[in-house]
Amino acid sequence: MSQARLSCILLNYRTAELCRRAARTAVTALQGLDAELLIVDNDSGDGSFEQLTAFVAAEGWPQVRVISAGRNGGFGAGNNHGMRAGRDDGQPADYIYILNPDAFPEPGAIRVLADWLDSHPETGIAGSLIRNEAGAQEYTAFRFPSIAGEFEHSVRFGPVSRLLHKARVPIDLPDRPQPVDWLAGASMMLRREMLDRIGLFDETFFLYFEETDLCLRAARDGWQTVYLPESRVTHIGSVSTGMKRWDRVPRYWLDSRLYYFTKSHGAAYAALATLTHATGGLMWRLRKVLQRKPDADPPHFLRDLVAHHVRALLSRSERRATPQPARRLP
């Protein structure tokens, strides 16, 4: 049994009812561990903070606190706020468990992650098998995005996917523990020692790609990210973001994607990734018309992707061309 000090962070944004359910399952899964549950309200502004505070008081859970982030800076900023707040006993957490408010761990799910980190000091991040409410497994383990992966995804053509199978971002989920490039942030445990070396979530990402970036930084610092199918979590998915109901891809997703590629590989690589995605997307759209296939992307996605990147390039050029005020000597 893990003897590590554990801090579980449950981030809420206007999902108080689901968050109460997630808190109950988390409290059960944390039994027997030296653990505290910290519910962080990401400035919901809908009464969530007051509702959750009253709920925890009514439950009488001494190991559960509710705090307010004070602003909605996104997924990474909200979780960072919880990590910086620390444990109520003042002891530093050895491991930090990130849980979405629409994710419900089975009784042993959190212990499996902690036990793995105990016995595998080379692992910095461990994550769970995630099922939807119908019991089907979701893709939650991935390869890092790449130029080849952008083309494989956008062209949607079997022979290309077979040729570029090692670049395909989602991986076929293994039935045993396996190192992977990155994991979905709905249920993941982070080693504090790793965070002390690589830093917390990059708060430039408002939503999406922040866990990809964290896992990439961990890998570059020599840490493994491991998928553990014995840690099982049920996940509703996209409740706060509304991703499954998007009529159009939001600006923050496009911002995060472009920032990820630029930060990780440079501006030229990011531009080539977008060009490659657009090329594959055009090829898919031609085949879609000829073969009368259904739409697979949100409306105007390809146009929005390219236009967003062009605007970013023009904005960067304008900033470089704008004369900077002369600095006065002291």
Side-chain angles (χ1 to χ4, degrees):
M1 179 185 298
S2 177
Q3 300 298 316
R5 293 184 298 271
L6 177 64
S7 179
C8 173
I9 299 175
L10 181 55
L11 184 64
N12 173 74
Y13 181 71
R14 298 184 177 181
T15 55
E17 183 176 349
L18 282 172
C19 193
R20 288 193 290 268
R21 177 181 165 190
R24 288 194 177 97
T25 60
V27 167
T28 298
L30 291 169
Q31 289 179 359
L33 298 170
D34 181 358
E36 178 186 88
L37 173 61
L38 185 60
I39 300 174
V40 180
D41 183 67
N42 224 9
D43 196 27
S44 296
D46 65 346
S48 288
F49 175 74
E50 294 78 11
Q51 294 172 39
L52 292 169
T53 300
F55 163 70
V56 170
E59 292 290 336
W61 289 327
Q63 77 278 35
V64 182
R65 289 185 292 150
V66 182
I67 64 173
S68 173
R71 67 184 183 96
N72 180 16
F75 177 86
N79 280 297
N80 286 352
H81 187 82
M83 286 188 264
R84 293 187 182 107
R87 286 166 47 113
D88 195 37
D89 61 8
Q91 296 295 316
D94 298 303
Y95 309 143
I96 296 163
Y97 177 61
I98 304 295
L99 182 68
N100 274 14
D102 54 357
F104 317 112
E106 293 185 3
I110 301 176
R111 186 186 306 278
V112 166
L113 302 178
D115 287 346
W116 181 272
L117 292 184
D118 282 347
S119 58
H120 296 80
E122 72 281 2
T123 300
I125 304 172
S128 306
L129 179 154
I130 297 179
R131 295 190 178 102
N132 62 27
E133 289 197 300
Q137 293 186 19
E138 297 182 349
Y139 282 111
T140 51
F142 308 91
R143 296 181 182 89
F144 289 127
S146 65
I147 290 173
E150 290 289 291
F151 185 71
E152 185 280 329
H153 171 73
S154 65
V155 76
R156 294 182 174 90
F157 188 49
V160 172
S161 293
R162 288 190 289 273
L163 179 66
L164 300 178
H165 68 280
K166 291 185 178 180
R168 184 171 181 262
V169 173
I171 67 171
D172 294 330
L173 297 177
D175 57 5
R176 62 187 63 186
Q178 178 175 308
V180 298
D181 283 351
W182 66 280
L183 296 161
S187 171
M188 63 161 48
M189 190 171 289
L190 314 173
R191 189 184 295 273
R192 167 63 73 176
E193 179 188 354
M194 177 199 71
L195 295 172
D196 288 342
R197 285 173 49 169
I198 71 170
L200 306 181
F201 286 109
D202 184 338
E203 297 184 16
T204 304
F205 297 99
F206 180 77
L207 200 59
Y208 296 102
F209 290 89
E210 59 277 282
E211 67 263 68
T212 318
D213 169 74
L214 186 75
C215 292
L216 179 60
R217 287 188 281 128
R220 287 176 172 175
D221 197 52
W223 299 95
Q224 281 190 353
T225 294
V226 178
Y227 168 78
L228 297 173
E230 292 183 357
S231 172
R232 299 183 179 92
V233 173
T234 299
H235 184 224
I236 296 178
S238 305
V239 175
S240 295
T241 66
M243 184 179 186
K244 295 178 181 179
R245 304 182 303 275
W246 281 351
D247 292 326
R248 202 157 183 169
V249 173
R251 172 71 178 269
Y252 60 76
W253 187 93
L254 296 167
D255 287 342
S256 291
R257 175 193 172 277
L258 178 56
Y259 177 61
Y260 172 80
F261 275 119
T262 304
K263 175 187 178 183
S264 303
H265 303 290
Y269 189 101
L272 188 55
T274 296
L275 178 61
T276 303
H277 192 116
T279 301
L282 289 172
M283 294 170 66
W284 152 250
R285 280 155 179 75
L286 176 60
R287 194 160 60 90
K288 182 188 73 171
V289 171
L290 295 176
Q291 299 179 359
R292 298 182 179 180
K293 291 181 174 292
D295 288 332
D297 290 320
H300 313 296
F301 169 69
L302 204 60
R303 184 175 68 188
D304 289 345
L305 179 74
V306 174
H308 175 269
H309 201 132
V310 170
R311 284 195 298 269
L313 291 174
L314 292 174
S315 177
R316 189 179 302 126
S317 298
E318 289 174 0
R319 288 196 300 270
R320 289 175 178 173
T322 301
Q324 299 298 313
R327 296 180 62 186
R328 294 182 179 181
L329 295 174

